[in-house]
Amino acid sequence: MQSYLDFEKPVADLEAKIAELKSLAQTDQAVSIDEEVNRLSARADEALVEIYKKLTPWQKTQVARHPQRPHFSDYVASLITEWTPLAGDRKFGEDAALQAGFGRFNGQSVAILGQEKGNSTETRLKHNFGMANPEGYRKAVRIMEMADRFAIPVISFVDTAGAYPGIGAEERGQAEAIARSTEKSLELGVPNIAIIIGEGGSGGAIAIATANRVLMLENAIYSVISPEAGASILFRDAAKAQDMATAQKITAQDLLGFKVIDATIPEPAGGAHRHHAAVMDSTRDAIDGFLRDFEGKSRLEVREHRREKFLAIGTNI
């Protein structure tokens, strides 16, 4: 069943009428609904295009958080073969929020990192809504070290509201674990690409997104703090999250202009949650292009490219 966002109400109303007509046709075979259904479908498609042409930053935030948006597990299932997840940080335990392992992309060995939010009550609790503990980031470091040792490129799928802020996480060194993961990402001698597929929240995202190439889906967001938390701090009012989202410049289009990211991956009208297959194809093309661009580069060239990329942020705006 399609889940609609508040601003999609015109589309929801039209599609509800279509569903009603189809239900009527099932009970009365003599009723011809094809012409009316086609007319309403065309209107719904047009409304969807118009709505998604002018999304505000807050509306993009809602799209990025849509429960039916493709998650890490969907990308792995569509793009990766021979997926072999690895568990544990060899220090404390396993963290299900941050998934890591190895597989093949178009036949080439790759290391895969990413936050998994889950798509049901059970899986959301299992994966802690995509908010990783320190052991998740230490696991990521372990996988990146293995990838570096065996000259295997690293692909990160970023989708998190932020690292888990619990007392236990802080006691086990959350900040240090994030810093170590960021450091390891920067010093890799193999190419790495990060794709923000939904939310890219705070250090929890940066820890695996410090890459040679950083891409964002068209309706994804990437920020140092959520709009709600930012509004609570600056305005003392979480209800001003919409204003905060605009002020933060968190959209893919804003960040591309600031050269914080390298490119955007287009989403069809209606968002990735309506067009899984199309988004998977676009993401596959983006990863394939990246791997081709970095094929044959030396370890020094890969590191220098990444270093210069991040040092240049904010200098040529």
Side-chain angles (χ1 to χ4, degrees), residues 20-59:
E20 186 179 343
L21 285 172
K22 289 181 177 179
S23 177
L24 177 63
Q26 288 178 349
T27 58
D28 188 350
Q29 299 295 327
V31 176
S32 177
I33 64 167
D34 292 346
E35 185 177 343
E36 183 65 10
V37 165
N38 290 337
R39 187 181 68 82
L40 291 173
S41 295
R43 284 180 58 193
D45 292 341
E46 290 172 6
L48 204 59
V49 169
E50 286 302 310
I51 289 170
Y52 275 78
K53 273 169 54 177
K54 50 187 179 183
L55 291 179
T56 66
W58 177 246
Q59 288 170 337

Side-chain angles (χ1 to χ4, degrees), residues 26 108 259-260:
Q26 288 178 349
Q108 179 178 354
K259 299 183 180 177
V260 172

Side-chain angles (χ1 to χ4, degrees), residues 87-168:
D89 64 348
R90 304 278 178 89
K91 291 182 173 71
F92 178 80
E94 165 61 351
D95 180 72
L98 203 157
Q99 297 289 294
F102 293 88
R104 293 187 184 277
F105 175 81
N106 288 348
Q108 179 178 354
S109 295
V110 291
I112 310 293
L113 308 172
Q115 290 100 351
E116 172 58 49
K117 286 184 171 181
N119 51 26
S120 64
T121 300
E122 181 182 358
T123 56
R124 285 169 189 148
L125 291 172
K126 173 185 176 182
H127 296 291
N128 200 31
F129 299 86
M131 296 184 292
N133 282 281
E135 44 273 23
Y137 295 108
R138 293 184 178 121
K139 176 174 63 176
V141 169
R142 184 165 76 89
I143 300 308
M144 285 189 277
E145 287 175 344
M146 292 176 65
D148 204 25
R149 186 179 311 133
F150 296 106
I152 298 173
V154 179
I155 303 171
S156 297
F157 295 99
V158 180
D159 189 16
T160 181
Y164 184 59
I167 294 174

Side-chain angles (χ1 to χ4, degrees), residues 245-265:
T246 301
Q248 282 181 288
K249 306 296 183 186
I250 61 178
T251 69
Q253 296 71 29
D254 287 328
L255 295 171
L256 182 60
F258 292 137
K259 299 183 180 177
V260 172
I261 65 169
D262 300 294
T264 61
I265 297 175

